[in-house]
Amino acid sequence: MEEQFGIASFRSRQQVIGFERALRRAGVPAGIITTPRSVSVGCGLSVRFELRDARDVYDVYHVARPGNLIGFYRVLRENGRTDVKPLGMQVGYNG
């Protein structure tokens, strides 16, 4: 079974928790997950979100500016494999 979602990876657990809260306050469904191994830098936790909400996630990031962002990634899990690629939304991303 295939599963796709986005993550925001940070260097600090404090930023992960704060950003997840900011997303929820803005009405964007989000959760905290263990960062996939292929994103080897960071604190080990990331904020998970649905790809359809990527624009809203970026907008909340732009307003909240939690700092210590490593990046936004697309995660694909299929048949026991996890593939992680940059989502194409970086701090300077304008769509």
Side-chain angles (χ1 to χ4, degrees):
M1 187 167 122
E2 180 181 292
E3 178 183 29
Q4 286 193 64
F5 55 91
I7 62 169
S9 182
F10 293 85
R11 285 181 170 57
S12 162
R13 289 175 183 245
Q14 234 179 334
Q15 273 72 33
V16 169
I17 293 165
F19 188 53
E20 189 257 353
R21 284 183 185 153
L23 288 171
R24 288 180 178 265
R25 279 193 306 269
V28 180
I32 296 175
I33 65 166
T34 302
T35 303
R37 292 177 203 254
S38 54
V39 183
S40 59
V41 266
C43 67
L45 297 177
S46 291
V47 177
R48 177 185 169 146
F49 57 90
E50 296 301 319
L51 290 172
R52 69 177 175 268
D53 296 324
R55 170 48 67 192
D56 294 331
V57 169
Y58 175 76
D59 289 344
V60 171
Y61 175 82
H62 184 70
V63 170
R65 292 287 185 187
N68 290 319
L69 176 72
I70 294 169
F72 295 102
Y73 299 90
R74 175 187 314 266
V75 179
L76 170 63
R77 289 185 179 158
E78 186 174 33
N79 300 325
R81 283 190 62 222
T82 300
D83 185 40
V84 180
K85 295 190 187 303
L87 191 52
M89 295 180 4
Q90 301 307 322
V91 176
Y93 179 76
N94 290 318

